Amino acid sequence: MSQNNRNTLPKTRDLPMPAVVQQSYGLSEQSWKVLTEVTFPTAKTPEAILMALDYCKARKLDIFKKPVHIVPMWSAALGRNVETVWPSIMEIQTTASRTGVWAGMDRPVWGPDVTKTFTGRYKDDNEQWQESSVTVTFPEWVAVTVYRIVGGKRCAFTEEVYWLEAYSTAGGKNSQVPTAMWIKRPKGQLAKCGKAASLRAAFPEECGYAAEEMDGKTLDDVVDGSVIDGEATHWETDVGQAGDWFSGSSEQTPHVIDVSQIHPKVQKAVAELVRRTAAAGAWKAAYDYANQKFKGIDLTFALAELDKVSEVDPMASSALVKTDSTGMPPLSAKDMAMNQARQTLGHAA
């Protein structure tokens, strides 16, 4: 496989600078050129760079130091690639450092080297499938220890990450061939994944998945990651009243939510709320329940997720008027049957 073909980037870029770049971020056309040609040379749309700008502005980060990466990921639901923004390992370390209780990190400990030949297809820069065979020598695993001050004591958090489970493929889950970077830097890339995993273990509420871990993956692979895909938004208004969220006020301005700040348990609870609501059509109850159950950014996230589904559900508008309950939206008949079966099995055990 020719590495030159896989790493060749367009010599010229044609991503026009949106007016909001100057108005909201104070960047010049020259700065925009640096972002499109140097910082994010593979970005395909201005919107992806705007997401990165929005993230960095909210987190007070210098975008020219590339604290985030734009990663295209396949969405089975949409049937196309979606440009997503993920924090780099540098940004995850910055987040841990800002807590004031990060107490250092040991050098990586490596497992034995393994040599393996990968044969299959990969996608070139023109999104065309090509056949390839490449042999890579890589460490079987890496273990990184991160330290955090807990109760006045320096505590160690160690995670092992295996190369074959972590490496990025050049064609998503339909390919077994590693990406050029994982072929060129098999230890370096795995080290980044090891650091990210241990930082998540030490700082579960602050640190999410790194771009180095998500490159080559699909959105369907994400369980509790921190993907920022521009779909979930929040509004810079008082979210205390559920009515504000479906009143259609023209003064509300959408911004991308940093899902890495949402605890995985909250994400799962919101996903269950949305699922039940879509099945039962109890939209008003869902919004009322969210306002009682969640607070702050968790409430913002929950309402945004409900908005995303209610906008495409023709029954949502009528349900918002008819339903007055403030409880959890009811289970569907199928869900009730499943729950009864689980209870029966639990008693039998």
Side-chain angles (χ1 to χ4, degrees):
M1 174 173 50
S2 173
Q3 294 300 309
N4 291 332
N5 290 338
R6 290 180 60 182
N7 292 323
T8 299
L9 297 173
K11 294 183 179 180
T12 60
R13 302 278 282 156
D14 186 22
L15 293 181
M17 184 177 80
V20 70
V21 172
Q22 172 64 39
Q23 297 168 359
S24 299
Y25 306 102
L27 296 181
S28 65
E29 291 188 4
Q30 183 60 35
S31 295
W32 177 257
K33 184 177 181 181
V34 173
L35 288 178
T36 58
E37 297 185 1
V38 179
T39 311
F40 303 111
T42 60
K44 298 186 182 301
T45 64
E47 288 74 20
I49 298 179
L50 288 177
M51 283 193 289
L53 279 166
D54 202 31
Y55 178 92
C56 292
K57 182 179 180 180
R59 295 274 293 135
K60 295 180 173 57
L61 299 168
D62 183 354
I63 194 171
F64 296 100
K65 292 182 179 179
K66 204 171 183 176
V68 297
H69 295 280
I70 296 172
V71 181
M73 300 181 72
W74 177 259
S75 169
L78 298 177
R80 60 178 173 84
N81 278 327
V82 176
E83 288 192 303
T84 62
V85 176
W86 293 84
S88 67
I89 185 61
M90 181 188 74
E91 153 62 347
I92 292 178
Q93 291 178 159
T94 298
T95 298
S97 177
R98 287 179 176 181
T99 65
V101 292
W102 185 24
M105 178 167 53
D106 287 345
R107 293 179 61 182
V109 176
W110 303 101
D113 281 349
V114 175
T115 299
K116 180 178 175 64
T117 299
F118 299 87
T119 302
R121 301 190 303 164
Y122 75 95
K123 275 191 177 181
D124 61 20
D125 295 328
N126 296 317
E127 296 295 314
Q128 300 297 316
W129 286 102
Q130 304 290 342
E131 295 294 331
S132 171
S133 180
V134 60
T135 300
V136 185
T137 298
F138 53 86
E140 182 183 10
W141 52 266
V142 68
V144 177
T145 299
V146 168
Y147 297 91
R148 174 176 178 166
I149 303 299
V150 180
K153 297 182 179 180
R154 187 172 184 250
C155 299
F157 297 81
T158 304
E159 290 289 317
E160 289 184 359
V161 177
Y162 288 81
W163 199 94
L164 287 175
E165 295 178 353
Y167 84 96
S168 297
T169 60
K173 64 181 180 181
N174 294 319
S175 170
Q176 298 300 316
V177 179
T179 58
M181 188 60 72
W182 280 81
I183 295 174
K184 181 180 179 181
R185 302 183 70 250
K187 292 186 70 173
Q189 291 299 103
L190 185 62
K192 292 179 180 180
C193 295
K195 291 178 182 179
S198 293
L199 284 166
R200 275 197 305 279
F203 301 90
E205 294 186 355
E206 292 86 3
C207 298
Y209 284 83
E212 290 81 3
E213 297 174 283
M214 291 297 104
D215 185 26
K217 306 298 191 298
T218 72
L219 286 175
D220 306 288
D221 296 327
V222 179
V223 178
D224 60 354
S226 57
V227 62
I228 308 166
D229 63 4
E231 299 294 336
T233 58
H234 73 275
W235 312 95
E236 289 187 334
T237 59
D238 181 6
V239 297
Q241 299 298 323
D244 295 341
W245 280 80
F246 38 81
S247 62
S249 172
S250 60
E251 297 180 357
Q252 296 168 336
T253 304
H255 286 269
V256 176
I257 285 179
D258 176 8
V259 187
S260 66
Q261 302 303 314
I262 308 299
H263 194 279
K265 290 184 178 179
V266 175
Q267 294 186 42
K268 292 179 181 178
V270 170
E272 178 66 11
L273 173 62
V274 172
R275 185 183 68 80
R276 291 191 186 183
T277 303
W283 294 100
K284 180 62 167 63
Y287 279 97
D288 290 344
Y289 177 85
N291 275 278
Q292 292 183 4
K293 178 72 174 178
F294 305 106
K295 296 183 181 298
I297 192 173
D298 291 343
L299 173 61
T300 301
F301 172 73
L303 295 176
E305 293 298 295
L306 286 169
D307 282 348
K308 285 163 55 179
V309 180
S310 65
E311 287 173 358
V312 298
D313 187 344
M315 300 299 293
S317 57
S318 59
L320 285 171
V321 176
K322 295 179 181 179
T323 307
D324 295 322
S325 172
T326 59
M328 185 74 165
L331 290 169
S332 65
K334 179 180 178 181
D335 288 332
M336 293 177 66
M338 289 296 292
N339 278 353
Q340 185 176 3
R342 292 191 186 99
Q343 293 173 3
T344 301
L345 290 172
H347 291 317

